[in-house]
């Protein structure tokens, strides 16, 4: 940047000399209070034109589990989503699963997108959505079904699109020197070294459908967290949600998923017979969307930790 290194040291030394001696990453991690995930339900009273819901589960490891965080990143873009009233365009996630399977399918859904909040040693991953006031419980069921659908490997085309989008957005985010410097600093604080961008991209490309399925099963094995706000949002039943994700129910759904994978041959033959009568192909699309996470309140009601500014009652430092 045109500044000699020693000049930079001379300028920075007076501002840093009062700080205590540094620690390596392992010692810093040991000294940092751990975050304990609880899982909870909070309903925020207040009037709003839509019922707003955030459903999330824990993925242990957080940023320090590099491989897990890579799979989480791909899963975030695989789910995608957006808002039914935003203008469309390239890179808006119009072909993501939440857009094609939820926003294009249910007229009463106003927004639906993936949600994540990551700390150093744990994190939240799930879906946030807004819908008509009378559809809150149905919206919650749809959100659950979308997450459960990924306990089986997704189609290769969807997975490759999600990985390409993740790589593209990471490269774009690190175009500026300020963002790149911040990334270097954060990685040194978390890992004690920097993971090269090219190395991270290779890790993203290596994510398989089985990785997504295993990560999602591990995700859904935790106690769910649910935050609701707005007209009719209190109709979303947390007790039913807990029952749905009890250990017995999880094992039953896993068994059903394994059984469903044994039947593709018959269904594949039927589909080919149907396709023989027409050469037309239909693809779902939409004229509008918004990138995941935009236009939403991001109140997690799930975590509190000294390593993040986002806090609520579901994670307490021990």
């Amino acid at each position: 940047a045109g500044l000699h290194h020693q000049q930079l040291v001379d300028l920075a030394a007076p501002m840093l000399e009062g700080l205590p001696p540094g620690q390596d990453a392992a010692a810093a991690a040991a000294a940092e209070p751990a975050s304990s995930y609880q899982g909870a339900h909070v309903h925020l009273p207040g009037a709003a034109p839509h019922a707003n819901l955030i459903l999330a589960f824990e993925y242990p490891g957080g940023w320090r589990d590099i491989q897990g965080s890579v799979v989480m990143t791909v899963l975030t873009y695989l789910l995608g989503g957006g808002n039914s009233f935003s203008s469309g365009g390239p890179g808006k996630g119009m072909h993501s699963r939440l857009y094609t399977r939820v926003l294009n399918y249910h007229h009463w859904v106003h927004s639906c997108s993936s949600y994540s909040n990551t700390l150093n040693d744990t994190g939240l991953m799930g879906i946030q959505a807004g819908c008509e006031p009378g559809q809150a419980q149905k919206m919650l069921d749809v959100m659950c079904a979308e997450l459960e659908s990924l306990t089986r490997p997704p189609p290769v085309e969807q997975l490759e699109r999600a990985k390409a989008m993740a790589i593209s957005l990471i490269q774009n985010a690190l175009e500026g020197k300020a963002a790149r410097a911040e990334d270097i600093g954060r990685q040194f604080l978390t890992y004690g070294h920097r993971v090269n961008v090219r190395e991270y991209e290779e890790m993203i490309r290596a994510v398989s459908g089985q990785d997504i399925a295993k990560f999602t099963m591990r995700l859904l094995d935790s106690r769910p967290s649910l935050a609701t706000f707005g007209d009719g949002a209190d109709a979303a039943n947390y007790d039913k949600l807990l029952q749905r994700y009890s250990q017995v129910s999880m094992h039953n759904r896993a068994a059903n998923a394994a059984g469903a994978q044994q039947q593709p041959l018959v269904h594949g033959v039927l589909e080919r017979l149907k396709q023989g009568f027409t050469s037309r192909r239909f693809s779902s699309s939409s004229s509008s969307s918004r990138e995941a996470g935009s236009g939403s309140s991001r109140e997690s009601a799930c975590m509190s930790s000294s390593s993040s500014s986002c806090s609520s009652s579901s994670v307490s430092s021990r």
Side-chain angles (χ1 to χ4, degrees):
L3 182 67
H4 290 294
H5 177 70
Q6 189 56 48
Q7 289 179 286
L8 179 61
V9 172
D10 293 339
L11 290 171
M15 295 182 284
L16 302 177
E17 61 185 7
L19 297 177
Q23 297 175 312
D24 59 26
E32 181 180 290
S35 298
S36 175
Y37 177 82
Q38 303 295 324
H41 172 222
V42 59
H43 173 69
L44 303 176
H50 305 141
N52 299 283
L53 301 85
I54 298 179
L55 171 66
F57 298 83
E58 182 194 25
Y59 71 94
W63 288 126
R64 291 199 174 102
D65 177 9
I66 299 180
Q67 185 59 44
S69 65
V70 168
V71 177
M72 181 275 295
T73 300
V74 175
L75 178 58
T76 297
Y77 291 110
L78 179 65
L79 287 168
N83 189 303
S84 59
F85 295 103
S86 59
S87 58
K92 291 286 189 176
M94 291 173 60
H95 296 284
S96 63
R97 289 177 68 92
L98 293 182
Y99 213 95
T100 58
R101 293 163 58 97
V102 178
L103 284 161
N104 285 353
Y105 192 77
H106 301 291
H107 65 88
W108 40 268
V109 177
H110 295 284
S111 64
C112 188
S113 60
S114 57
Y115 168 82
S116 64
N117 181 28
T118 310
L119 305 180
N120 280 341
D121 53 5
T122 189
L124 289 174
M125 174 75 202
I127 297 174
Q128 56 187 6
C131 67
E132 290 295 317
Q135 304 289 347
Q137 182 59 46
K138 195 171 181 180
M139 183 75 254
L140 182 59
D141 291 338
V142 169
M143 295 160 74
C144 292
E146 287 305 309
L147 289 172
E148 291 163 13
S149 70
L150 287 171
T151 57
R152 298 184 295 274
V156 175
E157 182 182 5
Q158 293 182 9
L159 180 60
E160 292 303 314
R161 182 186 293 117
K163 291 193 286 188
M165 179 175 286
I167 291 172
S168 174
L169 292 176
I170 289 172
Q171 290 176 339
N172 184 64
L174 296 177
E175 280 289 319
K177 290 182 179 179
R180 192 176 290 267
E182 181 182 355
D183 178 63
I184 293 172
R186 287 180 178 273
Q187 291 199 37
F188 268 94
L189 289 173
T190 304
Y191 309 128
H193 66 278
R194 191 193 181 204
V195 179
N196 186 275
V197 177
R198 297 298 179 189
E199 182 182 352
Y200 196 78
E201 290 176 4
E202 288 305 315
M203 294 173 68
I204 290 176
R205 292 191 178 95
V207 173
S208 67
Q210 285 293 342
D211 292 331
I212 295 292
K214 290 177 182 178
F215 183 90
T216 306
M217 284 296 295
R218 183 185 177 199
L219 198 71
L220 300 184
D221 201 36
S222 66
R223 182 183 176 92
S225 289
L226 177 65
T228 57
F229 171 77
D231 294 347
D234 56 342
N237 193 310
Y238 185 66
D239 291 333
K240 287 184 179 179
L241 186 66
L242 289 178
Q243 184 178 4
R244 180 171 187 149
Y245 289 105
S246 66
Q247 292 296 322
V248 174
S249 296
M250 276 300 304
H251 289 308
N252 287 341
R253 281 198 304 279
N256 292 336
Q261 288 181 333
Q262 298 174 2
Q263 302 176 5
L265 180 60
V266 174
H267 293 297
V269 171
L270 292 174
E271 287 301 317
R272 284 194 292 273
L273 287 173
K274 292 177 183 178
Q275 292 173 5
F277 292 101
T278 176
S279 60
R280 295 179 60 188
R281 289 186 177 182
F282 296 91
S283 63
S284 61
S285 62
S286 175
S287 61
S288 62
S289 75
R290 181 178 297 168
E291 285 187 9
S294 61
S296 190
S297 63
R298 297 268 173 181
E299 51 217 343
S300 70
C302 301
M303 293 193 147
S304 69
S305 170
S306 61
S307 60
S308 174
S309 60
C310 180
S311 64
S312 70
S313 59
S314 289
V315 172
S316 59
S317 295
R318 64 172 180 265

